[in-house]
Amino acid sequence: MQRRKFITAGLLAGSAVLATACGKKEEKKPEAPAVQTKKSYEWRMVTTWPKNFPGLGTGANKLAQYITDASEGRLKVTVYGGGEVVPPLESFDAVSKGTAEMGHGAAYYWKGKSPATQFFAAVPFGLNAQETNAWIYSGGGQKLWDDLYAQFNLKPFLAGNTGVQMGGWFNREINSLDDMNGLKIRMPGLGGDVLTAIGAVANTLPGGEIFTSLQSGAIDATEWVGPYNDLAFGFYKVAKFYYYPGWHEPGTALEAFVNKQAYDALPADLQQIVTVACQAANNDMLAEFTAKNGDALATLVNEHNVQLKRFPDEVLKKLSTVSEEVVSDVASGDADAKKVYENFSAFRSKVSKWTTLSEVGFSEARDL
Ligand code: CA
């Protein structure tokens, strides 16, 4: 019965189209099943990651799958690894211009477009993952981000988080501020600027060159992500000490960005699917990093005898003070960055008191 109705409706729809095309007046609108009349879309998602890179690349894959499945294929998203359609760091421009409809990356890669983008990825001594979600979803951050990216014809979403990263792999111990002097370390972004300001020699080696540089002594130390990704790179084979905490990337947010015309062209239900799929992907990635970091940390310590070290308070205090200066400098030279910085800083000062009382207070009690 259902099938007969379907076929009849289809035939009616077909004849109505023909009738209209022949110039005859259409008397009654046929009742085709709703799904038959809805338009389908195909999007390309360019990414800043190697295809299927654990955590980050696989997170982008999952996001595309969620959108495609939840829309029953009405919005089909195909993922491309960095370099497949455009080089990784041209993803922002490619989506802005409409070469691709969607991208997945990290906002600090676009600081050359606007220094304000960095506040939406990672800030030294900034927000952790939970606080970042709070700022973007419930603290006014999304509006600031939308306004900033609209200038580039983009609509941004949170789409992943690594959680607090590790301070890095060192082949010598850091016992005082003096030990940071002249230290050759791989650390990109604002963290690298902070280290340079305290006398270290920071560089931004790409991932593929870190291991051999550490092995040859070209660098004394490196940061990467955390136990899950760092174990895979094998840094424990060439550096003895694994330092925490990752003061420079306390909860690095990954993003999805969509070409504004492509987004605005979607019907409301597909826009909602994109929005909610990004939220799900954001949640999933943090869960994956958290679970796998725990496993990998145990492997590093128990099987590879890695020595975990906490940076001395003296070093952390100095890094914190200098970070405040470096971050406020970012804001001082640019109107957009200033606006975002002021909102971000006000949010951080309120939420950090709550985090210390709640999350940190509980964690300390649990470890007693
Ligand atoms: Ca990092």
Side-chain angles (χ1 to χ4, degrees):
M1 191 64 190
Q2 281 297 98
R3 188 173 158 76
R4 262 184 70 185
K5 263 191 194 164
F6 180 84
I7 291 167
T8 310
L11 286 171
L12 279 172
S15 50
V17 169
L18 280 174
T20 308
C22 296
K24 288 180 191 166
K25 196 176 174 191
E26 186 183 329
E27 289 186 1
K28 192 183 169 194
K29 205 171 179 190
E31 290 174 21
V35 73
Q36 294 290 300
T37 64
K38 287 186 179 171
K39 196 175 163 187
S40 290
Y41 303 81
E42 289 198 13
W43 279 9
R44 303 206 291 180
M45 186 200 285
V46 291
T47 66
T48 57
W49 326 113
K51 184 112 177 150
N52 304 323
F53 189 79
L56 306 173
T58 54
N61 295 348
K62 206 181 259 189
L63 171 57
Q65 196 66 50
Y66 282 155
I67 295 171
T68 304
D69 290 349
S71 67
E72 294 183 309
R74 286 169 52 221
L75 176 51
K76 184 168 180 278
V77 182
T78 306
V79 179
Y80 294 89
E84 284 192 292
V85 176
V86 290
L89 299 185
E90 287 176 23
S91 300
F92 189 89
D93 279 342
V95 178
S96 175
K97 290 176 191 154
T99 306
E101 289 77 12
M102 190 172 195
H104 191 275
Y108 52 25
Y109 291 144
W110 324 124
K111 69 174 181 179
K113 301 288 175 191
S114 166
T117 61
Q118 297 171 98
F119 292 99
F120 300 99
V123 172
F125 294 94
L127 303 176
N128 68 22
Q130 188 164 323
E131 294 164 347
T132 297
N133 288 340
W135 180 49
I136 298 293
Y137 293 142
S138 299
Q142 184 71 52
K143 171 79 171 73
L144 289 164
W145 203 6
D146 284 345
D147 290 349
L148 179 67
Y149 273 37
Q151 297 174 32
F152 302 97
N153 198 36
L154 297 169
K155 163 78 183 155
F157 299 92
L158 287 177
N161 201 299
T162 65
V164 185
Q165 300 201 356
M166 282 293 280
W169 297 86
F170 289 68
N171 60 22
R172 65 183 203 221
E173 274 190 83
I174 302 298
N175 295 314
S176 70
L177 262 177
D178 288 344
D179 293 329
M180 300 297 284
N181 212 16
L183 183 89
K184 289 173 287 177
I185 179 167
R186 183 265 181 196
M187 184 173 290
L190 291 170
D193 296 343
V194 172
L195 288 177
T196 302
I198 67 162
V201 184
N203 66 46
T204 55
L205 283 177
E209 291 174 31
I210 302 174
F211 185 92
T212 48
S213 302
L214 202 52
Q215 191 171 36
S216 71
I219 54 173
D220 306 307
T222 186
E223 74 83 52
W224 182 237
V225 183
Y228 172 37
N229 289 142
D230 295 9
L231 173 65
F233 259 99
F235 295 134
Y236 63 88
K237 295 173 194 161
V238 288
K240 265 189 181 169
F241 307 107
Y242 197 20
Y243 271 89
Y244 67 93
W247 56 274
H248 61 299
E249 293 193 69
T252 302
L254 292 314
E255 60 172 6
F257 40 96
V258 179
N259 175 277
K260 229 175 157 307
Q261 283 79 43
Y263 184 74
D264 291 343
L266 294 179
D269 63 330
L270 292 184
Q271 287 183 342
Q272 189 76 310
I273 284 174
V274 171
T275 303
V276 175
C278 286
Q279 288 176 2
N282 190 42
N283 189 41
D284 278 357
M285 193 188 293
L286 180 62
E288 181 183 353
F289 269 102
T290 305
K292 294 198 170 167
N293 277 335
D295 290 341
L297 183 66
T299 303
L300 286 168
V301 172
N302 300 331
E303 291 177 29
H304 302 301
N305 302 314
V306 166
Q307 292 191 45
L308 292 174
K309 296 267 182 191
R310 184 178 177 276
F311 289 117
D313 282 351
E314 177 196 21
V315 172
L316 288 171
K317 276 184 191 159
K318 182 69 178 175
L319 290 170
S320 173
T321 308
V322 176
S323 292
E324 295 296 326
E325 294 164 12
V326 166
V327 175
S328 85
D329 281 353
V330 169
S332 68
D334 181 273
D336 288 327
K338 186 167 185 288
K339 193 174 163 193
V340 177
Y341 167 76
E342 283 171 358
N343 187 285
F344 177 95
S345 298
F347 185 85
R348 186 188 65 158
S349 74
K350 277 186 288 183
V351 84
S352 66
K353 291 184 179 66
W354 169 240
T355 299
T356 302
L357 199 82
S358 58
E359 303 290 332
V360 181
F362 165 69
S363 186
E364 284 173 352
R366 187 170 57 182
D367 292 343
L368 279 175

